[in-house]
Amino acid sequence: MDYVYGPGRNHLFVPGPVNIPEPVIPIPAMTKTLLEDVKEIFKTISGTPFLFPTTAWESALTNTLSPGDRIVSFLIGQFSLLWIDQQQRLNFDVDVVESEWGQGANLEAICIVHNETATGVTNNLAKYQHPALFLVDGVSSICALDFRMDEWGVDVALTGSQKALSLPTGMGIVCASPKALENDYLKFYKLGTFWPYTPSIQLLYGLRAALDLIFEEGLENVIARHRRLGEATRLAVEAWGLKNCTQKEEWYSDTVTAVVVPPYIDSTEIVRRAWKRYNLSLGLGLNKVAGKVFRIGHLGNLNELQLLGCLGGVEMILKDVGYPVKLGSGVAAASDYLQNNIPLIPSRI
């Protein structure tokens, strides 16, 4: 079936890929400064960044570990499950520590997903202390949530172009600590050629433009904006009388909220109707929470008024599928919070 455009603009509120800002799409000009600036979003001075036209998961694992090495890995949702599956396929000896979906990881026991997109759970990595090599999936957190590679003792952190950086898909970004570094890739850095393969030039230009936008807003301001968007969404969910899939406030994610629906509603129908009737893209429930939750992504190049439009759309959809929501209730709760917390745009003061 041919793809058919709906009228107006699609309202993209899945937890990645995200909305791409206009300055990123036309592409402007760069590699040494780009690598230095990438270090800023990981909050590392000593780490070395690598940009891959491939999966950052696989690159992080195969460049720091060998088949047969023992890994402790936390299973808290679909994306941690997929990373564990890849670890096992690469023949690592994986000890899986499983928690109920919707809970955070037990950080006493080393591959971990910082922000589990399937359930909207953020793990507090500041609690983690261990001499083992510490690998972190920050795909849906870095550049949106507070992430401190050096301060938290992270040895390898990774993210992707399609999440909070607001780029097209296709680039994996990995940053490695001195402890994790033993890499032939570094020879190319020293030679000044930087790339042991043919890079995606348009993605590099896009990354340059995306970082410029982030630094213009200020990384701390970006994190604060995501905090506002997350809190506003959670207040709307509460006003609708629905529950967050994340079971404790300490695990709430500021990039994605998974909303639990009543047993008589199939959340897949909510996502389907959002797309077919309102040109609104929401996230499906995955694996163990399929049909039980729908997901609102609130990350990347997104502002508060855009979010309010999404929340208004969700209210109409809930009414469509037979849930007794009062139209405007969630939007009002979110608006009240945002009206009291949105600062002036720094460049317009």
Side-chain angles (χ1 to χ4, degrees):
M1 179 179 171
D2 292 336
Y3 181 83
V4 180
Y5 283 98
R9 188 169 186 169
N10 174 252
H11 302 280
L12 188 61
F13 282 86
V14 297
V18 299
N19 297 279
I20 302 172
E22 297 297 329
V24 172
I25 297 170
I27 337 256
M30 114 214 131
T31 293
K32 189 172 182 180
T33 57
L34 193 58
L35 291 170
E36 285 300 311
D37 285 346
V38 164
K39 289 165 69 171
E40 287 197 37
I41 65 173
F42 286 90
K43 290 192 180 173
T44 181
I45 297 171
S46 59
T48 301
F50 303 92
L51 312 179
F52 297 106
T54 180
T55 166
W57 274 354
E58 183 178 7
S59 300
L61 293 167
T62 57
N63 284 284
T64 56
L65 301 165
S66 301
D69 283 354
R70 189 178 184 190
I71 300 175
V72 176
S73 201
F74 299 96
L75 202 173
I76 59 170
Q78 177 68 4
F79 294 94
S80 52
L81 174 65
L82 293 175
W83 200 17
I84 288 168
D85 178 64
Q86 185 165 66
Q87 293 159 24
Q88 293 168 334
R89 288 170 184 265
L90 292 168
N91 296 315
F92 297 118
D93 179 10
V94 187
D95 290 335
V96 179
V97 181
E98 185 169 4
S99 297
E100 182 182 341
W101 287 33
Q103 291 187 358
N106 175 7
L107 291 177
E108 292 176 2
I110 292 190
C111 285
I112 191 166
V113 172
H114 183 205
N115 187 78
E116 174 53 67
T117 324
T119 55
V121 167
T122 301
N123 285 304
N124 183 356
L125 302 186
K127 291 182 178 180
Y128 176 87
Q129 293 295 329
H130 200 285
L133 202 66
F134 188 22
L135 283 71
V136 175
D137 172 338
V139 171
S140 61
S141 65
I142 290 171
C143 245
L145 308 182
D146 192 23
F147 188 90
R148 301 169 182 253
M149 183 170 173
D150 286 356
E151 186 177 321
W152 297 343
V154 176
D155 293 304
V156 180
L158 59 95
T159 190
S161 56
Q162 78 280 13
K163 297 286 186 176
L165 281 164
S166 301
L167 286 165
T169 56
M171 180 185 289
I173 302 172
V174 175
C175 198
S177 73
K179 179 179 172 183
L181 277 178
E182 189 178 334
N183 195 320
D184 286 342
Y185 206 122
L186 294 175
K187 295 175 184 175
F188 292 90
Y189 280 9
K190 291 172 183 174
L191 288 171
T193 53
F194 298 107
W195 309 106
Y197 54 81
T198 302
S200 171
I201 298 300
Q202 59 267 48
L203 273 176
L204 292 180
Y205 278 121
L207 179 58
R208 176 69 274 160
L211 290 174
D212 288 344
L213 287 171
I214 287 166
F215 296 153
E216 180 182 337
E217 183 178 357
L219 184 55
E220 296 308 314
N221 293 331
V222 172
I223 292 167
R225 172 167 54 82
H226 282 86
R227 194 175 298 125
R228 289 193 299 275
L229 296 173
E231 180 62 19
T233 304
R234 291 187 289 271
L235 287 169
V237 172
E238 183 180 343
W240 297 332
L242 296 174
K243 292 191 179 300
N244 195 317
C245 182
T246 307
Q247 296 179 15
K248 288 185 180 179
E249 186 175 341
E250 66 188 84
W251 294 326
Y252 284 163
S253 168
D254 288 332
T255 61
V256 57
T257 299
V259 184
V260 180
V261 299
Y264 63 87
I265 293 175
D266 180 358
S267 66
T268 304
E269 179 57 27
I270 290 175
V271 177
R272 185 182 296 120
R273 185 171 287 266
W275 168 249
K276 287 186 173 182
R277 187 172 189 194
Y278 300 103
N279 204 10
L280 171 62
S281 297
L282 299 172
L284 290 163
L286 301 172
N287 202 313
K288 289 187 179 182
V289 291
K292 299 176 182 178
V293 309
F294 67 92
R295 295 176 298 147
I296 302 172
H298 32 82
L299 74 162
N301 188 249
L302 185 70
N303 65 33
E304 293 84 355
L305 296 188
Q306 288 174 280
L307 177 66
L308 291 175
C310 168
L311 297 176
V314 171
E315 289 181 354
M316 291 190 288
I317 298 157
L318 289 171
K319 195 102 173 174
D320 286 349
V321 299
Y323 180 73
V325 65
K326 180 182 177 183
L327 292 180
S329 57
V331 172
S335 298
D336 184 60
Y337 166 76
L338 291 171
Q339 193 272 326
N340 287 297
N341 286 280
I342 298 176
L344 293 174
I345 299 170
S347 61
R348 300 179 186 177
I349 295 174

